[in-house]
């Protein structure tokens, strides 16, 4: 997944510790419970564009994200 444009971190959020861990897909970021992610863009009602600690980008379901 290649992100085009300037990177502005809007906020940081945590993956719900009770969420199911998921492997990444074509444009989805792999999820690890309790991981803190940088929010780059609130894309729609279902997904958020995030960056993880390995500097990888991808979409994450809003349902598994918790505010810090």
């Amino acid at each position: 997944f290649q992100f085009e444009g300037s990177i502005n971190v809007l906020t940081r959020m945590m993956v719900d510790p009770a969420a199911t861990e998921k492997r990444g897909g074509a444009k989805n970021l792999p999820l690890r419970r309790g991981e803190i992610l940088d929010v780059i863009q609130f894309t729609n009602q279902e997904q958020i564009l995030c960056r993880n600690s390995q500097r990888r980008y991808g979409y994450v379901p809003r349902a598994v994200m918790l505010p810090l």
Side-chain angles (χ1 to χ4, degrees), residues 13-35:
M13 296 179 85
M14 181 174 70
V15 177
D16 188 341
T20 305
E21 292 194 11
K22 294 183 182 178
R23 299 174 79 182
K27 293 189 176 185
N28 296 325
L29 201 57
L31 296 180
R32 291 194 335 251
R33 287 180 243 170
E35 183 177 26

Side-chain angles (χ1 to χ4, degrees), residues 1-4 7 13-14 17-20 25-27 31 39 47 50-51 53-54 62 65-66 68:
F1 184 85
Q2 200 67 23
F3 181 73
E4 301 287 326
I7 306 289
M13 296 179 85
M14 181 174 70
T20 305
K27 293 189 176 185
L31 296 180
V39 175
Q47 294 184 322
C50 295
R51 176 176 65 188
S53 58
Q54 288 85 39
R62 278 188 181 221
M65 298 300 287
L66 301 173
L68 288 178

Side-chain angles (χ1 to χ4, degrees), residues 32-67:
R32 291 194 335 251
R33 287 180 243 170
E35 183 177 26
I36 306 296
L37 301 175
D38 294 332
V39 175
I40 306 300
Q41 188 177 55
F42 291 99
T43 52
N44 59 39
Q45 295 295 338
E46 288 85 35
Q47 294 184 322
I48 302 171
L49 180 60
C50 295
R51 176 176 65 188
N52 66 13
S53 58
Q54 288 85 39
R55 318 284 288 166
R56 288 194 168 132
Y57 297 90
Y59 293 103
V60 176
R62 278 188 181 221
V64 300
M65 298 300 287
L66 301 173

